[in-house]
Amino acid sequence: MAEDPQRNFRSAYYEKVGFRGVEEKKSLEILLKDNPLDVEKLSTFSQRFPVPSMYRIHVWKVLLGILPPHSDSHALVGGYRKEQYQDILEALEVMRYVNSSTHSTHIYLRMFQLESQVLPRCSETLPPDDEDEEFLSISRAMEEIVDDPVDCYWLIKCFVSQFHTKFGDSIPHLPKSLEHYLSQEEPRLLNHLKITGALPQLPYGLWFRRCFAGCLPECSLQRVWDKVISGSCKILVFVALEMLLSYKLVLMGINRPEGAAKFLCNIPQENTDAIVTKAIDLWHKYCGTPMHTV
């Protein structure tokens, strides 16, 4: 399909005067008027463009299957989701797993465990294990993005479930993928990380299992999650890659392996938007840009 020169001119003009994304917002609004919604087109849009914040939660709910493609059913299904949330919460209260002083993220964890049929006995309740901590980290981040507790629970549950179902087999291979792309972009840094023993101690769990929850501020994190929710776990590799590239000079000056990991777990928060933007550019550079037509 031939490109529209007039559209390209408008897009270039909008970007030049500081209105980057005006046409993309219009494109998304057109997609959201479809009934039923074309989930594949919404997914491709989210892969290719930033999702406008005013539509982000709605798009996530559709992509994660919380809402069906048929827009006419959204109010009805939303009501069912709320009822189910309240039923699960009441069941946990009756069984005395939660009470008014239980932190919301721990409530979400118990709800998830009950629905997944892995709720431990009250007498056997132990401190959270690694998998629980991953869930809690994602929950804390989602709480900062989503105000409504019902929406928040369903988004956490479906995000975690989809992530493990879709990408569970890929996650163990992401560190090797990061090593490959780092060898392409900055072989000297890769060599330094190997020589100092830092490479195997990088915070892969924080990056690839918690999807940067607790590492990036939510304003930057949600742009990464747009890509994960719409079908790419590879974006996580490029965020980690850009993080290493952005702090190359700092990392080259660290000779203790635990020092590099400690720094990367607590990166300065003021530069994260630029890191995510460059990471998305690298992702498109190596993985291509999905085609999308409205």
Side-chain angles (χ1 to χ4, degrees), residues 31-40 42 58 61-63 65-81:
L31 288 176
L32 291 173
K33 286 176 183 174
D34 286 347
N35 192 12
L37 296 167
D38 190 322
V39 177
E40 189 175 339
L42 279 175
H58 185 67
K61 286 162 77 173
V62 172
L63 292 179
I66 298 166
L67 292 176
H70 290 274
S71 303
D72 299 344
S73 305
H74 284 183
L76 182 66
V77 173
Y80 289 151
R81 297 292 190 195

Side-chain angles (χ1 to χ4, degrees), residues 27-242:
S27 296
L28 179 59
E29 288 171 348
I30 292 168
L31 288 176
L32 291 173
K33 286 176 183 174
D34 286 347
N35 192 12
L37 296 167
D38 190 322
V39 177
E40 189 175 339
K41 280 187 178 180
L42 279 175
S43 178
T44 305
F45 178 95
S46 302
Q47 294 270 298
R48 190 172 182 188
F49 304 116
V51 178
S53 56
M54 64 188 296
Y55 296 118
R56 175 169 280 118
I57 303 306
H58 185 67
V59 169
W60 284 6
K61 286 162 77 173
V62 172
L63 292 179
L64 289 170
I66 298 166
L67 292 176
H70 290 274
S71 303
D72 299 344
S73 305
H74 284 183
L76 182 66
V77 173
Y80 289 151
R81 297 292 190 195
K82 186 173 184 178
E83 287 176 16
Q84 190 175 348
Y85 171 92
Q86 290 169 338
D87 287 344
I88 300 166
L89 180 58
E90 285 173 14
L92 288 169
E93 288 171 342
V94 169
M95 293 188 289
R96 298 185 179 179
Y97 277 89
V98 302
N99 55 50
S100 58
S101 64
T102 307
H103 193 279
S104 54
T105 54
H106 284 80
I107 293 175
Y108 299 146
L109 174 61
R110 296 301 180 211
M111 292 174 75
F112 181 73
Q113 289 173 333
L114 179 58
E115 286 204 280
S116 305
Q117 299 182 346
V118 294
L119 186 69
R121 292 181 182 180
C122 269
S123 59
E124 297 173 355
T125 302
L126 299 170
D129 60 18
D130 287 346
E131 196 169 316
D132 291 343
E133 285 294 353
E134 291 162 14
F135 184 95
L136 290 169
S137 290
I138 290 169
S139 298
R140 285 189 288 269
M142 192 70 81
E143 266 198 328
E144 295 297 319
I145 299 169
V146 185
D147 293 327
D148 182 77
V150 177
D151 282 347
C152 191
Y153 171 67
W154 284 106
L155 284 164
I156 295 162
K157 177 198 170 182
C158 295
F159 178 87
V160 170
S161 298
Q162 177 186 278
F163 186 75
H164 286 292
T165 302
K166 271 192 175 182
F167 309 126
D169 293 338
S170 303
I171 294 169
H173 304 290
L174 297 184
K176 205 68 185 171
S177 185
L178 172 61
E179 185 178 337
H180 166 73
Y181 291 116
L182 186 57
S183 72
Q184 303 292 306
E185 292 288 323
E186 192 54 64
R188 284 181 62 247
L189 176 57
L190 175 60
N191 191 49
H192 175 77
L193 294 173
K194 284 181 175 178
I195 289 171
T196 58
L199 190 65
Q201 294 194 35
L202 295 181
Y204 297 121
L206 175 65
W207 292 346
F208 303 147
R209 294 191 178 276
R210 301 187 185 189
C211 302
F212 290 92
C215 176
L216 295 174
E218 284 66 35
C219 59
S220 303
L221 183 67
Q222 57 195 2
R223 295 170 56 211
V224 177
W225 284 6
D226 284 342
K227 312 307 179 191
V228 176
I229 288 170
S230 58
S232 173
C233 70
K234 205 70 176 283
I235 185 63
L236 301 173
V237 171
F238 291 101
V239 176
L241 174 62
E242 182 53 46

